[in-house]
Amino acid sequence: MPSKINTPLILVNFKTYREASGDNAARLARIIEKVRRQTGVCVGLAPQFVDIAPIAQIVSAPIFAQHVDPIDGGSFTGHVLPQSIRAAGAVGTLINHSERRLRLADIDTAIQQSRKVGLTSVVCTNNQAVSAAVAALKPDMIAVEPPELIGTGVPVSQAQPRVVEDTVKAVKQMDPNIIVLCGAGITKADDVAAAMKLGTEGVLVASGVVKAKDPFKVLSRFAERLTTH
Ligand code: G3P
């Protein structure tokens, strides 16, 4: 894994929220950078593809793509080449987000292609069984996110602790080096603390930060509870 990325990790997915696109993406990236520097906690961001290169010019926080295609270059119109994501300044990528699902064989290839070009892979899963299946593919990280809780403000770490706990157990049994994150509905520092208590090494979060009135305050509280849960 690139030395920029360490755990515990807060990874902020910008999705296609207007509050985190274009100029707003740069503004949020600067806030993330400030939290990272002030707290010493690793805070990463996953902006839209087109925002990766400009943001890489202004922050040193680890940047992730939201998706890559399982390809190695060639005639693939409209696809996203892992190598180009790396060249744009990202150090990692989400794979198989519930809003951008892939087939299992494609997840496997996307992990391999990402590794080949030096991108840390964070594969999203929806439950413990899928997490165990994905662990066999040996990604760098797995982020378990029950889709029904995404964007609801109902935190996975409090509403479905068994899914998180069982995912940690299943993944670590398969390969103790795979880092486990959880996400969906996380909006409060207590949700972050609960996630850490369940054995995860960080959180994947979107609306709770992107749509917050004061993302700096929210992220700073997250960072504090990440280390003092
Ligand atoms: O990738 C993170 C995401 O799917 C969780 O979304 O808005 O529930 O934090 P949210």
Side-chain angles (χ1 to χ4, degrees), residues 13 15 17 97 145 149-151 184-186 204-207:
N13 182 358
K15 303 198 176 185
Y17 285 121
H97 191 277
E145 298 197 315
L149 297 180
I150 290 178
I186 291 178
L204 177 57
V205 59
S207 52

Side-chain angles (χ1 to χ4, degrees), residues 39-197:
T39 63
V41 167
C42 187
V43 189
L45 60 152
Q48 289 166 60
F49 300 127
V50 291
D51 292 322
I52 291 175
I55 288 176
Q57 302 297 315
I58 58 171
V59 301
S60 50
I63 301 173
F64 293 71
Q66 296 178 10
H67 162 82
V68 288
D69 282 304
I71 56 167
D72 193 13
S75 58
F76 297 100
T77 304
H79 286 62
V80 181
L81 183 63
Q83 199 172 353
S84 303
I85 291 298
R86 182 77 187 95
V91 294
T93 184
L94 299 179
I95 293 170
N96 193 47
H97 191 277
S98 69
E99 292 148 11
R100 196 66 177 85
R101 283 283 186 241
L102 294 174
R103 289 178 305 187
L104 194 62
D106 291 337
I107 296 172
D108 186 24
T109 309
I111 293 168
Q112 303 315 323
Q113 297 295 355
S114 297
R115 183 157 296 142
K116 202 165 121 189
V117 301
L119 287 174
T120 294
S121 51
V122 183
V123 179
C124 299
T125 57
N126 54 324
N127 59 33
Q128 55 271 48
V130 174
S131 301
V134 166
L137 308 177
K138 300 206 172 296
D140 297 303
M141 303 190 199
I142 288 178
V144 63
E145 298 197 315
E148 67 275 16
L149 297 180
I150 290 178
T152 60
V154 179
V156 59
S157 49
Q158 318 250 29
Q160 295 195 22
R162 281 293 300 274
V163 170
V164 179
E165 236 167 12
D166 291 353
T167 294
V168 172
K169 217 180 287 167
V171 170
K172 295 292 180 182
Q173 222 164 44
M174 186 75 77
D175 183 343
N177 294 318
I178 299 174
I179 291 164
V180 181
L181 312 176
C182 71
I186 291 178
T187 59
K188 297 189 183 67
D190 281 351
D191 309 337
V192 173
M196 298 302 287
K197 281 192 190 127

